Amino acid sequence: MSRYEMQVNRSGPMGQKAMLMLRDIYLAPYMQLATALIGKERHAGGNMFRHQMDTLAILIDYGYIDSALLKASCIHDVVEDVPGFDANKIINADEEGEDVYRLVLEVTRRKEEDKSAFLRRIINEGSQKAKILKTADRISNMISLGYVNDPKFIERYCDETEFFIFPIALEVDYNMYQELISLVMTRRKYLEDSGYIK
């Protein structure tokens, strides 16, 4: 898939070719690095390690069997969420370490960026892989949002998803975009049903 080519065909059950490709991707070193996130709690419960694995599963569910993308999904939050994380652990993890690290940095919020500047940077400068990863990340976050009962947080997150993530998803994967629309709709319905939105 080229940089500006949107995926429109939804994948089905994993075929033999994809299975063989996945078999040859060594994710274990990256999963081990991701365990640094086990103690990091999430607003919706669980921890950040599980979120990394959820993001990986979402990518595979949508048929992405790109080794650098899947490896980056396993650790996409470590640089941002583990203080003093040693980047060399990623760079030296295997022969793709440098590519994986660059991809992780694309989806990592910089110290000088607020959330909107961070997401605008991905919209304007992100690679195809960074946009796919950010979309899978947001799908995981939106699913977890179903366990959050703070209406202001839910509303803000839905607004942010519509404004920033919909354009990213629409550019790279129509089916992921459709899932995000459905997730936002269910979260907004919860806000209506709870009386927060009239």
Side-chain angles (χ1 to χ4, degrees):
M1 186 161 51
S2 74
R3 176 174 165 80
Y4 299 107
E5 182 180 346
M6 177 176 59
Q7 183 157 314
V8 293
N9 296 323
R10 183 73 166 92
S11 64
M14 185 179 290
Q16 181 76 3
K17 181 179 176 186
M19 184 277 295
L20 291 172
M21 290 172 63
L22 187 60
R23 180 196 66 182
D24 293 335
I25 299 172
Y26 294 100
L27 295 174
Y30 295 92
M31 289 179 172
Q32 182 181 23
L33 292 176
T35 61
L37 293 164
I38 286 175
K40 300 282 183 181
E41 292 184 9
R42 304 192 76 212
H43 196 73
N47 64 46
M48 290 301 292
F49 170 74
R50 293 180 196 172
H51 167 61
Q52 312 305 289
M53 297 304 105
D54 287 345
T55 305
L56 168 67
I58 288 164
L59 289 168
I60 292 171
D61 179 35
Y62 275 95
Y64 292 101
I65 311 290
D66 176 273
S67 59
L69 178 61
L70 296 183
K71 289 171 182 179
S73 73
C74 291
I75 55 164
H76 70 272
D77 286 318
V78 295
V79 173
E80 188 172 330
D81 290 345
V82 178
F85 184 83
D86 181 2
N88 288 313
K89 290 180 179 180
I90 300 172
I91 293 167
N92 297 321
D94 65 10
E95 69 284 348
E96 283 190 301
E98 288 186 21
D99 292 336
V100 172
Y101 180 60
R102 277 194 293 272
L103 182 50
V104 168
L105 287 184
E106 282 193 77
V107 296
T108 297
R109 192 164 137 188
R110 299 170 184 161
K111 288 182 178 145
E112 71 277 6
E113 291 177 322
D114 63 15
K115 192 73 176 282
S116 61
F118 161 59
L119 294 171
R120 279 192 188 94
R121 174 171 55 81
I122 294 175
I123 290 170
N124 296 325
E125 302 171 22
S127 66
Q128 184 89 348
K129 287 180 186 177
K131 291 177 180 182
I132 292 166
L133 178 53
K134 190 62 197 168
T135 302
D137 170 56
R138 185 52 64 110
I139 289 171
S140 172
N141 289 335
M142 289 299 297
I143 292 168
S144 297
L145 202 58
Y147 299 98
V148 174
N149 55 18
D150 175 352
K152 286 184 182 177
F153 183 85
I154 295 169
E155 182 177 44
R156 179 174 56 79
Y157 216 76
C158 286
D159 290 345
E160 183 183 279
T161 300
E162 288 183 11
F163 191 78
F164 293 108
I165 308 300
F166 279 7
I168 293 171
L170 186 56
E171 182 182 329
V172 294
D173 192 308
Y174 185 72
N175 294 294
M176 292 173 105
Y177 168 69
Q178 291 286 91
E179 182 172 358
L180 280 171
I181 289 172
S182 176
L183 287 165
V184 167
M185 288 172 63
T186 62
R187 301 317 172 240
R188 291 210 185 276
K189 184 174 186 321
Y190 164 78
L191 294 176
E192 289 175 11
D193 291 347
S194 68
Y196 180 76
I197 296 177
K198 305 234 189 283

